[in-house]
């Protein structure tokens, strides 16, 4: 199939496939006159690249996984990515916990909530933060 047909099949712009080719993620066959041609193997490759991107892998990681001849090296790289995803999921869960707490919070200002202040302090290196009051009155997390 042509580059346009392949791009249309996956809802991609043709420049995306050309970019993937330039970075080594895709290697289309060439028809006479240099036109790109994609067979079933390359269709599967595009699907694999898209799934890997959705899993949060970088183009460099995807390329290395596709080139890796050693299954052990591939498993090791995926295990490291799994741990990174778990770390990011824990961070996202902590953010969601704060946001879910806010609508029913008894504090007039979210910045007064102890869990929010703990999260902000952790972001600031674990040190206690000022209470938000100063000579000009309270300073809230969203501004004066």
């Amino acid at each position: 199939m042509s580059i346009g047909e392949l791009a249309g099949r996956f809802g991609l712009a043709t420049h995306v496939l050309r970019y993937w080719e330039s970075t080594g993620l895709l290697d289309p066959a060439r028809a006479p006159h240099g036109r790109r041609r994609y067979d079933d193997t390359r269709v599967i490759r595009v699907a694999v690249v898209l799934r890997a991107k959705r899993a949060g892998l970088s183009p460099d990681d995807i390329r290395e996984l596709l080139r890796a001849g050693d299954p052990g090296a591939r498993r090791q790289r995926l295990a490291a990515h799994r741990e990174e995803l778990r770390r990011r999921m824990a961070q996202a869960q902590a953010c969601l916990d704060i946001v879910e707490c806010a609508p029913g919070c008894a504090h007039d200002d979210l910045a007064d909530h102890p869990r929010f202040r703990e999260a902000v302090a952790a972001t600031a290196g674990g040190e206690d933060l000022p209470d938000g009051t100063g000579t000009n009155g309270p300073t809230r997390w969203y501004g004066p």
Side-chain angles (χ1 to χ4, degrees):
M1 75 179 58
S2 71
I3 190 169
E5 292 168 330
L6 181 62
R9 181 171 181 170
F10 288 98
L12 300 169
T14 56
H15 71 85
V16 171
L17 298 178
R18 288 187 196 98
Y19 172 73
W20 289 358
E21 181 182 348
S22 74
T23 61
L25 292 176
L26 194 56
D27 61 337
R30 296 289 179 161
H33 305 297
R35 292 192 174 261
R36 294 167 177 86
R37 300 303 298 168
Y38 299 89
D39 59 12
D40 289 343
T41 302
R42 272 93 176 178
V43 172
I44 291 168
R45 171 67 68 104
V46 170
V48 167
V49 170
L50 286 171
R51 294 289 297 183
K53 285 175 61 66
R54 286 185 195 125
L57 290 161
S58 72
D60 289 339
D61 287 335
I62 298 168
R63 186 176 38 262
E64 291 303 314
L65 287 170
L66 292 172
R67 289 182 180 166
D70 176 23
R74 192 170 30 249
R75 284 187 195 100
Q76 188 175 26
R77 190 172 207 109
L78 288 171
H81 184 67
R82 178 187 60 212
E83 294 310 312
E84 173 62 16
L85 285 175
R86 286 183 175 155
R87 184 189 66 75
R88 291 184 354 214
M89 288 169 59
Q91 287 177 331
Q93 184 62 54
C95 292
L96 181 60
D97 290 346
I98 290 171
V99 170
E100 285 183 334
C101 179
C105 184
H107 294 88
D108 289 337
D109 191 298
L110 181 61
D112 294 332
H113 194 286
R115 284 180 48 203
F116 181 82
R117 293 189 61 77
E118 287 172 15
V120 171
T123 302
E127 295 183 22
D128 287 336
L129 298 175
D131 66 5
T133 60
T135 58
N136 295 331
T139 301
R140 301 299 178 202
W141 66 279
Y142 51 80

